[in-house]
Amino acid sequence: MIAAPEIPTDFTLLQESETHFSSDTDFEDIEGKNQKQGKGKTCKKGKKGPAEKGKGGNGGGKPGGPNRMNGHHQQNGVENMMLFEVVKMGKSAMQSVVDDWIESYKHDRDIALLDLINFFIQCSGCKGVVTAEMFRHMQNSEIIRKMTEEFDEDSGDYPLTMAGPQWKKFKSSFCEFIGVLVRQCQYSIIYDEYMMDTVISLLTGLSDSQVRAFRHTSTLAAMKLMTALVNVALNLSINMDNTQRQYEAERNKIIGKRANDRLELLLQKRKELQENQDEIENMMNAIFKGVFVHRYRDAIAEIRAICIEEIGIWMKMYSDAFLNDSYLKYVGWTMHDKQGEVRLKCLTALQGLYYNKELNSKLELFTSRFKDRIVSMTLDKEYDVAVQAIKLLTLVLQSSEEVLTAEDCENVYHLVYSAHRPVAVAAGEFLYKKLFSRRDPEDDGILKRRGRQSPNANLVKTLVFFFLESELHEHAAYLVDSMWDCATDLLKDWECMNSLLLEEPLNGEEPLTDRQESALIEIMLCTIRQAAECHPPVGRGTGKRVLTAKEKKTQLDDRTKITELFAVALPQLLAKYSVDAEKVTNLLQLPQYFDLEIYTTGRLEKHLDALLRQIRDIVEKHTDIDVLEACSKTYHALCNEEFTIFNRVDIARSQLIDELADKFNRLLEDFLQEGEEPDEDDAYQVLSTLKRITAFHNAHDLSRWDLFGCNYKLLKTGIENGDMPEQIVIHALQCTHYVILWQLAKVTESSSTKEDLLRLKKQMRVFCQICQHYLTNVNTAVKEQAFTILCDVLMIFSHQIMTGGRDMLEPLVYTPDSSLQSELLSFILDHVFIDQDDDNNSADGQQDDEASKIEALHKRRNLLAAFCKLIVYTVVEMNTAADIFKQYMKYYNDYGDIIKETMSKTRQIDKIQCAKTLILSLQQLFNEMIQENGYNFDRSSPTFSGIKELARRFALTFGLDQLKTREAIAMLHKDGIEFAFKEPNPQGESQPPLNLAFLDILSEFSSKLLRQDKRTVYVYLEKFMTFQMSLRREDVWLPLMSYRNSLLAGGDDDTMSVISGISSRGSTVRNKKTKPATGKRKVPEGLDVLTAEESSSSDSMWLNREQTMHTPVMMQTPQLTSTIMREPKRLRPEENYMGVYPMQPEHHQAPLDYNTQVTWMLAQRQQEEAARQQQERAAMNYVKLRTNLQHAIRRGTSLMEDDEEPIVEDVMMSSEGRIEDLNEGMDFDTMDIDLPPSKNRRERTELKPDFFDPASIMDESVLGVSMF
């Protein structure tokens, strides 16, 4: 039987006479227990004589008498509810539960302590009960061993780890019970030198157990007990200080007024308090040395976290005693723990200390030693730890700004751009505390000033400077979001920002530079967007959350404030920065966040007219796409039919489009009529006007201007002449695309006529033909634009267009023909699957830097995704994906995710067709290799190995569920076999087929076949083989042999698994009665006998037949070997999936009957593997027998959990190293608790050595840190 090793019990409290309790008497009674002992003096515990065992609340009765049963209370024959059940239910007030126990303790403390002991045992999840007999006569280690043996092996869970609200509440109730128990007993019982000694001894012994449940529960109880004792010690210290002051005050009185009797009482009281404090010191020393110093480095992270959490409470609660380097070092060391939850507890413990500025002086040495570690933890891989590390540094910054260097602060500053919002918010608060929270004294007189003269003006400039120095100019939204919670007033001071942009600088004030003004406008836009939308930027949140009523009101108020301010200021800002494209683009986005009703209610129509004029001027001045699209979106935001300003804005928009359309038609007519080469000025005018129209057509329906005809003429002329400028073609294609889409939206939403559908169909077909022509254009940008638009159009006008009850759109469905599909695929192969260097060379002199490479890769990924979308939605044939799939390995880093997702989606659509496409891609690669290297290629070459690796990757994508992919895998093998034998060798049948090496690639998929399907595939393979092929053993025939072996291997494995299963079932029955055998002799002749003994006769015959089939050493007679060619077990019709496919080979001879010669053939083939198979079988039998033996041990001892993790385990992390190297330069005692101002008069003489290996629980970085 396995049991926990004996636990040393030399943890009992020592007395002043330096006499310690015997380890044999931890749970035994003491002589004269009903008499109160003097303070500081205790009689030695010893075993009771026979006459003394009857003392107690039971009179002279036995514990099992009428009033006791298994240690449980009995009243009127009914068993009372035990402490564990009361605490678990949580329905009774904890103080009343403790009061009831105290009454029981006063009546008979042995019985009450026995209940308390069983409470801790049961809280650990142990089903055992400590009886009164065990309590009286057994040693402490024996009791713990007995409880270990009675542990429940069915589950590894225990109350502290169980899930559910009841057990979560139990943990808090458990901790509360311990705290209330000490609080209610703090005036008498804890000083009786019996109850606390027994409890501390029990918890110390349990905390050293190898059983995790005991160790975890007792450590939590001991730490909570220690916390309660620290509170008692703190109260004693306060009472001693008060008594001392009263004594000093009384003694300083004149002799006539001095009360000597009061002085005597105060001296006596102080003496009693001092003695009580000494007792508490000894209790805390016992817990700290016996539990904490060992368990803070426990193997279980939860236990380490408990210790660190509680020591933080002690240091915060009783800083005079615990807040020193002797205890802070444990927190510092554990900050290097490998588990995030432990590091997190260290940081939260330190936060409680740094929050109190009065304690800063005691933390100076710790801060200097561990500051670098805290700074590095801001980049912790656990986001929760990083957040708390930043918050801790914020507290350190508030306590003393000189502690953190500029480099330390910069390490935190850049985290405001983190994608994880809690980290960014914490860094934003740190940034705000460091740079924005300080106010100059002279600012007090201008607090009420507004605009440029407000105190926020300098802070806004500081924010702009920080944003520019961070050199992440595209991430202003993330900076604003990081500081939104802590600097709301600053970020919402739009009046100040507006004044800084519009007003002239004051005397002596330095004006903003152009770069600073651009940054301020961008920050201002981000703050307005954050206030209006009330959600973080993309990547910082899980989605839009539901706003509370208060947040909705704040949002409405902010939008009103924004509209009232910028409805007036925006025209002025646009007029000032009208020529600056970057500033204008940001400013034009502001109207999207306006409350447009205020234009009417606030009588701001004149400012609206001014805004529309400015937008019109900007459209005329700029040809930049971003600016024009911003103007288009602004018109779209203002053209809302719900508001009264709609008519005013619509008229302005129509006038602008009329002018642009007329100008475009006029310029286009002149441009196309010229017989000679187009003039550059005319081309520029046509392009600029086309850019403006295209930008507006994106957001507005311009159908009434009939732009399709103009663009069609332009594109057709470009095809005919071939000299059309690149940008004109690109924008003409885009504009025509918008025309088609707006027409489709129009016929979809309204009741359209047949003529409208036919006209749209004709325009769409013509447009697709134009795009197809431009796929062969010499200009890369034009080809990419044509390809992207063509993919979008094919996707939109596919059969998906009729979904949702839109059957009337059936005439618009367009399916690309084979030539178009081929051209699209060719474009992908020529422009996507290329090397980076080739792409850079073709990119019109584009500089070869990282930014351009990333941009080019992003563009190519979009092109590939557009085509893969056509495959997934069956717009193009699935077999076109073969050319995509074969690039999976070569371009895995660039497009692996897209190709893998395409495989997954196509498999969901049609498993069989997807499998045929995969094998087709491998065949294409094989043919390409043949074309390059010929048929006499090296099978160990990188090219062939790469194809095999690709096949292995393809096989992995089929997953583990073989039933789901059964048909697909079978079809894959069928196609592969036919391809391998498709091309016969011109030199005759003596030479292998030309594609035979493909079977080596196909064998990668054999593991995905079910056993019965392997047999069917094997039979199908034999139809292609001749008798001479089966006899060949040259290297050129190795692919055939390896493929056949891969198909035959499964039967052998399955047979062995069946044999092992039956054997294990038989051995299980025997294990219940006898000791299991440790091994079996591997005698082939006796295997049949062994099998016959363990199974039925029919099963044994089947097993023997299976073994004979695949074991060459057993083929010694024709009678045995003839069974090889027996038919496999017949499959049910629904199981034989291979029957679905008519497997008729294209080129093969009729199979020969070679049953009479098959013995020699298979013996030759398997002779080389005989020895290896024998060894594997022996190893398998040994492993299975060993497993059975382990199961038998578990059933016999009941000490192991059913999961793979045993209950009994190592309790400490590696402790080979000591901590002397970490304690260098420390001149303080780390073991004794000395409560100020009293002196600890008693010391422990026998303590466990404090070994500590920091490398076992800490990162390598701690090894180079000098500790204090």
Side-chain angles (χ1 to χ4, degrees):
M1 179 178 293
I2 298 176
E6 183 171 343
I7 300 172
T9 55
D10 53 346
F11 42 70
T12 320
L13 303 179
L14 300 180
Q15 305 303 320
E16 196 171 33
S17 61
E18 296 185 1
T19 302
H20 60 81
F21 300 144
S22 170
S23 62
D24 297 336
T25 60
D26 285 341
F27 288 142
E28 296 172 4
D29 198 1
I30 59 173
E31 297 180 3
K33 66 178 181 180
N34 294 325
Q35 299 177 359
K36 179 77 171 88
Q37 303 295 334
K39 297 293 181 183
K41 298 180 181 179
T42 306
C43 296
K44 180 179 179 181
K45 290 184 180 182
K47 295 184 178 179
K48 290 186 176 183
E52 294 176 324
K53 293 181 181 178
K55 294 183 181 181
N58 292 330
K62 294 181 180 180
N67 292 330
R68 296 286 295 174
M69 180 181 294
N70 293 329
H72 298 186
H73 290 289
Q74 294 278 334
Q75 288 184 356
N76 300 326
V78 180
E79 185 180 356
N80 283 343
M81 191 177 296
M82 300 185 67
L83 271 177
F84 173 72
E85 297 295 334
V86 175
V87 174
K88 186 177 101 171
M89 292 177 63
K91 295 182 178 179
S92 304
M94 202 56 66
Q95 185 161 338
S96 64
V97 175
V98 172
D99 290 342
D100 292 341
W101 183 88
I102 291 175
E103 288 299 322
S104 173
Y105 183 82
K106 291 178 180 178
H107 182 257
D108 190 319
R109 59 186 187 180
D110 276 349
I111 295 176
L113 270 179
L114 192 59
D115 280 349
L116 191 59
I117 291 171
N118 279 312
F119 168 72
F120 290 119
I121 296 295
Q122 291 173 351
C123 287
S124 301
C126 181
K127 299 295 181 64
V129 176
V130 180
T131 63
E133 192 70 20
M134 295 166 59
F135 179 62
R136 292 172 185 274
H137 296 99
M138 292 180 68
Q139 298 181 12
N140 184 37
S141 59
E142 294 175 342
I143 292 176
I144 295 177
R145 184 184 297 114
K146 180 67 176 174
M147 293 300 101
T148 301
E149 294 171 356
E150 296 185 14
F151 224 96
D152 181 19
E153 69 165 345
D154 294 338
S155 173
D157 291 334
Y158 49 95
L160 291 184
T161 61
M162 289 183 181
Q166 178 187 10
W167 295 112
K168 187 176 181 180
K169 184 179 180 182
F170 167 78
K171 182 177 180 180
S172 61
S173 300
F174 175 73
C175 300
E176 182 187 1
F177 172 80
I178 297 174
V180 174
L181 177 64
V182 174
R183 189 181 71 219
Q184 295 299 102
C185 299
Q186 65 177 318
Y187 299 110
S188 59
I189 295 179
I190 62 173
Y191 303 113
D192 68 358
E193 297 173 335
Y194 183 66
M195 188 269 279
M196 291 299 292
D197 289 3
T198 305
V199 171
I200 293 174
S201 298
L202 171 72
L203 296 179
T204 306
L206 289 175
S207 70
D208 207 28
S209 170
Q210 289 182 311
V211 180
R212 177 187 300 195
F214 280 151
R215 208 165 67 253
H216 186 183
T217 307
S218 60
T219 301
L220 177 61
M223 294 298 98
K224 292 298 180 182
L225 185 65
M226 178 78 169
T227 301
L229 290 176
V230 170
N231 190 46
V232 173
L234 179 61
N235 292 334
L236 287 174
S237 177
I238 295 173
N239 291 334
M240 284 185 63
D241 291 341
N242 293 337
T243 304
Q244 183 66 27
R245 284 196 299 269
Q246 293 174 6
Y247 176 79
E248 295 292 340
E250 190 67 28
R251 193 179 64 175
N252 290 335
K253 293 181 180 179
I254 59 177
I255 298 179
K257 294 185 178 181
R258 185 186 305 166
N260 292 329
D261 54 346
R262 178 170 172 76
L263 286 176
E264 296 264 343
L265 289 174
L266 291 173
L267 282 174
Q268 182 64 27
K269 181 179 179 182
R270 188 178 66 176
K271 182 179 179 182
E272 291 180 1
L273 291 173
Q274 181 64 51
E275 291 175 347
N276 289 345
Q277 190 177 47
D278 293 341
E279 292 288 335
I280 298 297
E281 285 180 20
N282 279 279
M283 297 175 196
M284 292 193 298
N285 266 315
I287 296 174
F288 187 80
K289 300 172 185 178
V291 180
F292 179 88
V293 296
H294 302 289
R295 298 281 70 79
Y296 93 95
R297 52 194 173 98
D298 192 276
I300 307 303
E302 294 178 5
I303 298 177
R304 303 199 298 271
I306 290 171
C307 295
I308 296 302
E309 182 180 14
E310 295 303 315
I311 197 175
I313 296 175
W314 308 338
M315 290 187 289
K316 182 179 179 182
M317 181 187 301
Y318 197 178
S319 58
D320 291 340
F322 289 94
L323 188 55
N324 54 61
D325 299 328
S326 301
Y327 302 101
L328 282 168
K329 67 174 184 179
Y330 294 107
V331 181
W333 288 339
T334 315
M335 283 196 295
H336 296 267
D337 196 280
K338 292 181 179 179
Q339 295 298 321
E341 61 175 309
V342 184
R343 300 194 299 272
L344 186 64
K345 293 297 182 183
C346 295
L347 295 172
T348 52
L350 292 173
Q351 287 176 13
L353 303 177
Y354 281 98
Y355 185 79
N356 188 352
K357 294 184 178 181
E358 297 178 358
L359 306 178
N360 290 342
S361 59
K362 298 182 179 182
L363 293 167
E364 289 179 356
L365 180 58
F366 176 85
T367 305
S368 64
R369 295 298 187 189
F370 290 98
K371 179 198 66 175
D372 293 340
R373 174 57 184 161
I374 299 173
V375 173
S376 68
M377 291 175 77
T378 60
L379 299 176
D380 197 278
K381 62 181 180 181
E382 302 285 345
Y383 285 126
D384 293 340
V385 177
V387 170
Q388 298 305 322
I390 298 171
K391 290 183 177 180
L392 178 59
L393 288 177
T394 304
L395 293 174
V396 173
L397 180 68
Q398 290 177 322
S399 62
S400 176
E401 293 188 1
E402 293 77 16
V403 174
L404 298 179
T405 64
E407 184 179 357
D408 296 334
C409 295
E410 289 174 2
N411 290 332
V412 183
Y413 289 162
H414 75 276
L415 293 176
V416 296
Y417 297 104
S418 170
H420 191 260
R421 191 169 193 272
V423 172
V425 169
E429 184 177 358
F430 178 89
L431 174 65
Y432 182 76
K433 298 288 185 184
K434 177 67 177 177
L435 300 181
F436 301 97
S437 61
R438 294 173 298 176
R439 222 182 264 279
D440 296 332
E442 56 268 18
D443 290 343
D444 296 337
I446 57 173
L447 285 177
K448 296 183 180 180
R449 296 182 181 179
R450 304 171 65 182
R452 196 180 190 98
Q453 297 181 354
S454 69
N456 281 339
N458 290 330
L459 300 181
V460 170
K461 292 180 182 179
T462 303
L463 181 62
V464 171
F465 299 156
F466 173 81
F467 175 60
L468 292 176
E469 290 177 3
S470 63
E471 296 181 354
L472 293 168
H473 310 311
E474 297 179 1
H475 300 82
Y478 296 92
L479 173 62
V480 169
D481 179 61
S482 301
M483 301 182 62
W484 190 255
D485 295 337
C486 60
T488 307
D489 294 338
L490 170 63
L491 297 177
K492 287 185 179 181
D493 195 349
W494 298 298
E495 186 177 355
C496 175
M497 299 179 189
N498 184 58
S499 299
L500 289 173
L501 292 171
L502 290 178
E503 296 179 4
E504 294 296 326
L506 302 175
N507 294 332
E509 183 182 3
E510 196 171 327
L512 295 176
T513 64
D514 180 72
R515 190 161 169 258
Q516 291 169 353
E517 287 179 337
S518 298
L520 177 56
I521 291 174
E522 185 175 357
I523 292 173
M524 183 176 67
L525 171 63
C526 293
T527 59
I528 292 173
R529 181 189 297 119
Q530 185 95 354
E533 295 180 350
C534 291
H535 65 80
V538 177
R540 276 270 180 94
T542 56
K544 293 184 179 180
R545 60 185 181 86
V546 179
L547 302 180
T548 63
K550 183 178 180 181
E551 289 174 336
K552 288 181 179 179
K553 184 179 183 305
T554 304
Q555 182 186 30
L556 293 175
D557 293 343
D558 288 340
R559 290 190 66 182
T560 301
K561 181 180 177 182
I562 291 168
T563 308
E564 292 176 347
L565 175 62
F566 288 100
V568 178
L570 183 57
Q572 302 174 31
L573 291 170
L574 291 175
K576 181 176 180 180
Y577 301 109
S578 60
V579 295
D580 192 316
E582 180 184 1
K583 296 184 179 67
V584 166
T585 302
N586 287 327
L587 290 173
L588 284 172
Q589 297 181 47
L590 298 184
Q592 300 177 30
Y593 311 106
F594 284 0
D595 182 1
L596 300 180
E597 191 65 31
I598 295 179
Y599 271 114
T600 305
T601 58
R603 298 180 180 275
L604 302 176
E605 288 86 352
K606 64 177 182 179
H607 298 288
L608 176 61
D609 294 336
L611 175 62
L612 295 175
R613 286 194 300 271
Q614 291 298 329
I615 296 176
R616 183 187 180 92
D617 293 341
I618 291 172
V619 171
E620 294 176 353
K621 290 179 181 178
H622 290 271
T623 58
D624 185 84
I625 296 297
D626 293 335
V627 176
L628 295 175
E629 288 185 352
C631 293
S632 176
K633 291 179 181 179
T634 303
Y635 271 115
H636 184 267
L638 296 175
C639 286
N640 193 328
E641 297 181 2
E642 297 179 1
F643 302 101
T644 56
I645 64 172
F646 170 74
N647 292 330
R648 190 186 298 261
V649 180
D650 185 49
I651 293 173
R653 178 186 61 179
S654 299
Q655 291 176 351
L656 177 60
I657 301 299
D658 280 336
E659 293 181 6
L660 291 176
D662 291 343
K663 182 179 179 181
F664 180 64
N665 288 326
R666 187 176 62 255
L667 291 172
L668 187 61
E669 186 176 353
D670 297 338
F671 182 70
L672 296 179
Q673 280 182 355
E674 293 182 4
E676 58 207 27
E677 232 177 275
D679 184 73
E680 289 186 4
D681 293 337
D682 293 339
Y684 175 78
Q685 292 293 330
V686 171
L687 176 61
S688 60
T689 307
L690 184 58
K691 278 185 176 181
R692 297 184 179 103
I693 293 176
T694 303
F696 274 86
H697 211 344
N698 186 12
H700 304 272
D701 183 9
L702 308 183
S703 300
R704 56 175 173 161
W705 282 274
D706 191 19
L707 297 172
F708 181 84
C710 303
N711 287 284
Y712 175 72
K713 292 179 184 179
L714 189 61
L715 294 171
K716 188 176 180 181
T717 304
I719 294 174
E720 294 173 352
N721 299 335
D723 58 354
M724 189 66 66
E726 162 193 343
Q727 289 299 316
I728 292 180
V729 175
I730 291 175
H731 287 88
L733 288 171
Q734 189 66 58
C735 186
T736 310
H737 184 210
Y738 291 148
V739 172
I740 299 293
L741 294 182
W742 278 108
Q743 289 288 350
L744 176 61
K746 196 172 182 180
V747 300
T748 303
E749 295 174 357
S750 61
S751 56
S752 57
T753 63
K754 188 175 182 179
E755 289 75 13
D756 294 335
L757 289 175
L758 292 176
R759 183 171 61 253
L760 176 58
K761 177 181 178 180
K762 182 179 179 181
Q763 292 179 351
M764 181 265 298
R765 297 293 177 91
V766 170
F767 181 57
C768 288
Q769 293 175 2
I770 290 175
C771 291
Q772 186 174 356
H773 279 293
Y774 276 107
L775 282 178
T776 58
N777 193 277
V778 294
N779 192 282
T780 303
V782 172
K783 288 190 287 188
E784 291 176 352
Q785 179 78 335
F787 176 85
T788 304
I789 292 176
L790 194 53
C791 288
D792 288 344
V793 172
L794 291 176
M795 188 69 229
I796 293 169
F797 289 93
S798 67
H799 56 87
Q800 306 281 340
I801 198 174
M802 296 189 298
T803 58
R806 293 178 295 185
D807 296 335
M808 70 282 190
L809 300 179
E810 184 178 1
L812 298 178
V813 175
Y814 178 55
T815 302
D817 55 19
S818 57
S819 63
L820 178 55
Q821 294 185 33
S822 177
E823 287 192 41
L824 292 173
L825 180 60
S826 299
F827 176 86
I828 286 294
L829 297 178
D830 294 339
H831 294 83
V832 173
F833 296 109
I834 58 175
D835 294 333
Q836 187 75 42
D837 296 337
D838 297 340
D839 183 63
N840 288 335
N841 293 336
S842 65
D844 298 341
Q846 196 176 32
Q847 293 184 353
D848 185 15
D849 57 359
E850 287 300 321
S852 63
K853 287 183 179 181
I854 294 174
E855 183 64 28
L857 176 60
H858 181 66
K859 184 188 298 183
R860 293 197 302 272
R861 284 175 58 86
N862 287 337
L863 295 174
L864 178 60
F867 184 74
C868 289
K869 195 157 47 172
L870 298 181
I871 299 173
V872 169
Y873 286 94
T874 64
V875 178
V876 298
E877 297 294 336
M878 191 180 293
N879 57 12
T880 58
D883 291 278
I884 307 296
F885 293 163
K886 70 182 183 183
Q887 311 289 346
Y888 182 62
M889 287 291 296
K890 185 176 181 181
Y891 295 95
Y892 181 81
N893 292 333
D894 293 340
Y895 319 116
D897 54 337
I898 299 175
I899 300 176
K900 188 174 182 180
E901 184 66 16
T902 306
M903 288 185 199
S904 176
K905 295 295 185 181
T906 52
R907 185 174 291 120
Q908 293 174 15
I909 297 170
D910 190 338
K911 295 185 179 68
I912 295 177
Q913 187 61 36
C914 177
K916 292 173 74 68
T917 305
L918 290 177
I919 200 68
L920 177 60
S921 65
L922 295 173
Q923 293 169 4
Q924 290 178 357
L925 287 175
F926 186 83
N927 288 331
E928 291 173 6
M929 180 188 65
I930 295 297
Q931 292 175 2
E932 289 183 11
N933 305 320
Y935 289 103
N936 296 324
F937 62 90
D938 184 6
R939 288 173 49 238
S940 62
S941 63
T943 305
F944 187 78
S945 300
I947 300 176
K948 283 199 66 174
E949 177 63 18
L950 178 61
R952 189 185 70 84
R953 293 289 187 97
F954 283 169
L956 292 176
T957 62
F958 282 93
L960 300 176
D961 192 344
Q962 293 178 324
L963 288 176
K964 288 184 178 180
T965 59
R966 188 178 185 184
E967 298 179 33
I969 292 293
M971 180 57 71
L972 185 146
H973 280 273
K974 175 181 178 293
D975 289 356
I977 292 172
E978 292 174 356
F979 175 77
F981 290 91
K982 183 178 180 180
E983 299 289 340
N985 199 307
Q987 300 179 11
E989 294 184 359
S990 61
Q991 297 299 320
L994 298 179
N995 295 337
L996 187 68
F998 189 77
L999 292 179
D1000 207 2
I1001 299 170
L1002 191 60
S1003 62
E1004 297 292 338
F1005 297 93
S1006 297
S1007 61
K1008 296 300 179 180
L1009 284 169
L1010 292 176
R1011 179 167 56 90
Q1012 52 267 43
D1013 291 344
K1014 285 185 178 181
R1015 296 182 182 278
T1016 310
V1017 172
Y1018 182 76
V1019 171
Y1020 187 70
L1021 174 66
E1022 287 182 330
K1023 294 179 180 179
F1024 290 85
M1025 295 170 50
T1026 63
F1027 178 70
Q1028 289 77 11
M1029 289 183 184
S1030 62
L1031 301 180
R1032 294 292 181 180
R1033 291 295 178 270
E1034 294 86 354
D1035 289 344
V1036 291
W1037 293 95
L1038 284 177
L1040 177 60
M1041 290 187 288
S1042 64
Y1043 183 57
R1044 292 176 65 195
N1045 290 339
S1046 68
L1047 296 177
L1048 293 173
D1052 191 33
D1053 295 342
D1054 293 339
T1055 302
M1056 289 306 300
S1057 65
V1058 174
I1059 294 174
S1060 303
I1062 296 176
S1063 301
S1064 63
R1065 285 196 295 274
S1067 63
T1068 302
V1069 177
R1070 293 193 302 273
N1071 284 339
K1072 296 181 179 179
K1073 300 178 181 179
T1074 62
K1075 183 178 179 180
T1078 57
K1080 296 180 182 177
R1081 256 186 348 178
K1082 188 66 177 178
V1083 182
E1085 291 77 11
L1087 185 60
D1088 297 344
V1089 179
L1090 176 64
T1091 308
E1093 291 176 352
E1094 295 183 351
S1095 61
S1096 64
S1097 59
S1098 60
D1099 287 343
S1100 65
M1101 291 173 63
W1102 183 82
L1103 290 173
N1104 291 336
R1105 183 167 66 250
E1106 291 294 314
Q1107 283 188 327
T1108 304
M1109 180 180 298
H1110 301 293
T1111 309
V1113 296
M1114 294 186 181
M1115 300 185 216
Q1116 299 179 7
T1117 64
Q1119 288 79 5
L1120 291 177
T1121 56
S1122 64
T1123 61
I1124 293 176
M1125 296 310 300
R1126 290 182 182 180
E1127 289 292 325
K1129 181 180 177 182
R1130 294 288 182 182
L1131 300 178
R1132 295 192 301 273
E1134 62 272 15
E1135 290 181 347
N1136 194 358
Y1137 283 90
M1138 293 299 294
V1140 177
Y1141 310 108
M1143 295 192 175
Q1144 298 297 331
E1146 296 179 9
H1147 304 284
H1148 69 280
Q1149 298 180 358
L1152 298 178
D1153 184 8
Y1154 50 92
N1155 288 348
T1156 58
Q1157 303 181 36
V1158 77
T1159 302
W1160 180 85
M1161 177 187 72
L1162 290 183
Q1164 287 291 328
R1165 178 174 58 83
Q1166 295 182 345
Q1167 191 69 33
E1168 299 174 356
E1169 301 180 6
R1172 180 180 59 81
Q1173 291 181 359
Q1174 291 285 350
Q1175 294 176 356
E1176 289 179 355
R1177 290 192 183 95
M1180 290 172 62
N1181 288 335
Y1182 173 75
V1183 171
K1184 292 182 181 298
L1185 288 173
R1186 183 173 179 179
T1187 303
N1188 294 335
L1189 178 62
Q1190 292 176 347
H1191 285 302
I1193 292 174
R1194 292 175 63 177
R1195 283 190 293 273
T1197 60
S1198 299
L1199 283 179
M1200 306 294 285
E1201 303 177 20
D1202 278 345
D1203 56 10
E1204 296 181 1
E1205 188 172 23
I1207 292 178
V1208 180
E1209 61 190 0
D1210 294 335
V1211 301
M1212 303 292 283
M1213 294 194 147
S1214 176
S1215 57
E1216 297 175 357
R1218 298 176 179 270
I1219 63 171
E1220 279 78 2
D1221 56 335
L1222 300 179
N1223 280 339
E1224 184 179 357
M1226 300 172 65
D1227 56 353
F1228 42 75
D1229 183 11
T1230 65
M1231 299 302 294
D1232 288 334
I1233 298 176
D1234 191 4
L1235 301 181
S1238 66
K1239 182 179 180 181
N1240 185 16
R1241 299 197 302 267
R1242 278 169 283 187
E1243 297 180 353
R1244 293 176 54 83
T1245 58
E1246 296 183 14
L1247 293 174
K1248 298 178 183 179
D1250 186 14
F1251 297 114
F1252 182 72
D1253 180 10
S1256 62
I1257 66 170
M1258 297 184 179
D1259 298 331
E1260 295 180 356
S1261 56
V1262 71
L1263 300 179
V1265 178
S1266 176
M1267 300 295 176
F1268 304 121

